[in-house]
Amino acid sequence: MENSPVIRRTGLIVVLVGAGLVVWFGGATGQRLKPKPDLEAGERIYKQNCVNCHGPSGKGDGAAAEKLNPKPADLTSPATQAKKDAELLEVIKVGRPGTAMPGWMSEIDEREMRDVLAYIRTLAAW
Ligand code: HEC
């Protein structure tokens, strides 16, 4: 009776469920520990895509700014810096209708948006 197929199969199921739980909990923990934003990547993305309007220091005085109405946001200003990450990420993602601010979701992924936002946070005027 010891080696009956039923017992062996039950053993196998227990092992599989156990392994499944390990993967499941492992994945859940991995998600809670969000990777830190990569500031260097953020700076690179900013210099490539944003500097033309928002300017090298983020003040909204890039080369293209002059012709724009409304002007690019001064990203160093308290008005912008006081906004929540989620709000700024949304503007970066979809742009701001009625202004020259384009949405970036087809150029950069969510991770890179967080990186560039983290870089913008380092430009704060205070
Ligand atoms: C073609 C010019 C242009 C480019 C390129 C551009 N922006 Fe903008 N951005 C604007 C304008 C114009 C506004 C809107 C200002 C307003 O609402 O009065 C804006 C607004 C924003 C805001 C919202 C600020 C606030 O206070 O709500 C963020 C954040 C921002 N831009 C980030 C970026 C990032 C990051 C990039 C590069 C990935 C970028 N922008 C590229 C022109 C530009």
Side-chain angles (χ1 to χ4, degrees), residues 29-45:
T29 329
Q31 262 183 357
R32 265 201 303 276
L33 301 170
K34 271 206 192 115
K36 275 216 189 99
D38 181 343
L39 270 181
E40 274 174 39
E43 183 172 1
R44 206 166 52 239
I45 294 161

Side-chain angles (χ1 to χ4, degrees), residues 102-119:
W104 293 93
M105 64 191 156
S106 57
E107 317 284 328
I108 59 181
D109 63 29
E110 302 263 342
R111 176 85 213 273
E112 294 169 317
M113 289 181 200
R114 289 189 175 280
D115 293 344
V116 78
L117 178 62
Y119 178 69

Side-chain angles (χ1 to χ4, degrees), residues 22-126:
V22 168
V23 170
W24 190 51
F25 279 115
T29 329
Q31 262 183 357
R32 265 201 303 276
L33 301 170
K34 271 206 192 115
K36 275 216 189 99
D38 181 343
L39 270 181
E40 274 174 39
E43 183 172 1
R44 206 166 52 239
I45 294 161
Y46 183 87
K47 290 190 166 151
Q48 242 168 44
N49 302 299
C50 322
V51 88
N52 215 15
C53 290
H54 290 284
S57 59
K59 289 190 179 304
D61 56 357
E66 191 131 347
K67 297 182 225 90
L68 298 177
N69 181 22
K71 300 270 172 258
D74 176 353
L75 301 176
T76 71
S77 69
T80 292
Q81 292 287 338
K83 291 179 185 166
K84 293 202 169 67
D85 283 2
E87 197 179 340
L88 297 178
L89 282 171
E90 186 66 13
V91 177
I92 295 171
K93 191 171 176 182
V94 304
R96 178 165 286 157
T99 79
M101 175 65 185
W104 293 93
M105 64 191 156
S106 57
E107 317 284 328
I108 59 181
D109 63 29
E110 302 263 342
R111 176 85 213 273
E112 294 169 317
M113 289 181 200
R114 289 189 175 280
D115 293 344
V116 78
L117 178 62
Y119 178 69
I120 287 172
R121 291 295 189 198
T122 69
L123 301 175
W126 65 81

